[in-house]
Amino acid sequence: MAAPLLQIEHLSVSFEGFRAVDDLSLHIDRNELRVIIGPNGAGKTTVLDLICGRTRASAGSISFQGRELTRLKEYQIVRAGVGRKFQTPSIYEELTVFESLEISYPRGRSVWGALAFRRDAALIERIEAVASTIFLADHLDRLGGTLSHGQKQWLEIGMLLIQDPALLLLDEPVAGMSVSERKKTVELLHTVIRDRSVLVIEHDMGFVEDIAHKVTVLHQGRVLSEGSVAHVKSDLKVREVYLGH
């Protein structure tokens, strides 16, 4: 059996005596689309913060492709292949879609890479391919600030995809989207998962049912239930603390 892409073991973090994540263990396989759900304050976003290095763990391990992330800085985790999208879109509103994807391309990260950076045929082809994936192939010349809310969400995902991360972390990616945008985001994630793993935090159970390979339910920083959508929906503990039955 292949080793998991991401292996979290006995992970904990406390804030002023409050245990936000408490002895958490889970693993994500390659090409898996995992969704974390749970009530407000369950520790969902904190888990993403711990994976990407924004928050430092009090205890435990986060192994990504065999590399321990808890000892790395945020930029090192990005370079290791972890991409993070926050709930509110963060894009360059004064740049075009093409320019936003271009500036996110990893070839110019180092000083020498930036000096040698050229807009060559390979780069243009890569930008056009990503733009097509995120439904913005016909909007490459539009300024980011003129896009709809859903298109901004897709553009930010594209700015991560062009870096080719092995793991993509998405925090409520369909929040504020129209019904049609939500349906297209389902299609987008089904495409994205062919080449990488995706970890999503979401409250919209309809969306969760459309995308999830596996669901992890958090409660008070711990795993309450885990398995298929059908399994967690039928779990009496989940129904009591989260689904409201």
Side-chain angles (χ1 to χ4, degrees):
M1 180 180 294
L5 179 76
L6 181 76
Q7 183 82 42
I8 296 175
E9 295 287 351
H10 305 296
L11 190 66
S12 297
V13 66
S14 298
F15 302 110
E16 298 181 352
F18 170 69
R19 186 68 65 96
V21 173
D22 188 7
D23 196 32
L24 176 70
S25 294
L26 64 86
H27 74 268
I28 297 175
D29 293 323
R30 296 177 188 276
N31 305 108
E32 178 183 346
L33 204 164
R34 174 71 62 91
V35 179
I36 296 179
I37 66 172
N40 291 333
K44 304 183 297 298
T45 297
T46 303
V47 171
L48 298 195
D49 289 343
L50 288 163
I51 294 170
C52 73
R54 196 179 192 201
T55 296
R56 291 297 174 188
S58 305
S61 169
I62 306 172
S63 176
F64 174 68
Q65 300 192 112
R67 188 175 185 184
E68 180 59 42
L69 297 187
T70 58
R71 295 191 287 267
L72 301 183
K73 300 181 184 299
E74 286 186 67
Y75 76 88
Q76 293 174 316
I77 294 173
V78 170
R79 292 182 180 179
V82 178
R84 167 80 180 274
K85 183 199 174 306
F86 294 85
Q87 182 177 350
T88 303
S90 177
I91 62 168
Y92 303 106
E93 303 230 343
E94 300 304 318
L95 297 183
T96 65
V97 170
F98 185 99
E99 291 166 339
S100 295
L101 295 173
E102 180 180 36
I103 203 172
S104 303
Y105 192 69
R107 194 164 60 190
R109 279 177 175 161
S110 67
V111 173
W112 291 112
L115 290 173
F117 189 84
R118 295 292 184 270
R119 184 184 286 183
D120 57 21
L123 172 61
I124 293 172
E125 182 179 356
R126 176 66 176 153
I127 290 172
E128 290 175 344
V130 170
S132 179
T133 299
I134 60 174
F135 315 115
L136 295 178
D138 296 329
H139 302 279
L140 285 170
D141 294 330
R142 285 184 60 184
L143 294 178
T146 70
L147 300 174
S148 71
H149 174 74
Q151 288 172 325
K152 289 178 180 179
Q153 298 273 40
W154 298 335
L155 176 56
E156 187 174 14
I157 291 173
M159 290 162 62
L160 295 173
L161 290 179
I162 204 164
Q163 300 174 41
D164 199 24
L167 176 64
L168 194 58
L169 310 176
L170 305 178
D171 196 345
E172 297 190 39
V174 294
M177 282 190 181
S178 67
V179 173
S180 62
E181 288 173 336
R182 178 189 169 281
K183 289 180 179 178
K184 293 188 80 170
T185 303
V186 172
E187 180 184 339
L188 169 59
L189 293 184
H190 285 162
T191 299
V192 166
I193 203 66
R194 297 172 189 167
D195 301 312
R196 59 190 49 80
S197 299
V198 180
L199 175 58
V200 179
I201 289 176
E202 191 50 67
H203 287 289
D204 185 331
M205 284 304 297
F207 181 66
V208 172
E209 290 180 8
D210 286 339
I211 65 168
H213 295 164
K214 194 172 184 179
V215 178
T216 298
V217 186
L218 293 188
H219 180 55
Q220 296 179 346
R222 287 177 170 265
V223 174
L224 180 68
S225 183
E226 192 168 76
S228 67
V229 174
H231 171 77
V232 299
K233 287 182 70 175
S234 65
D235 190 318
L236 294 178
K237 296 176 296 182
V238 176
R239 294 169 67 183
E240 179 180 352
V241 305
Y242 180 57
L243 298 178
H245 298 292

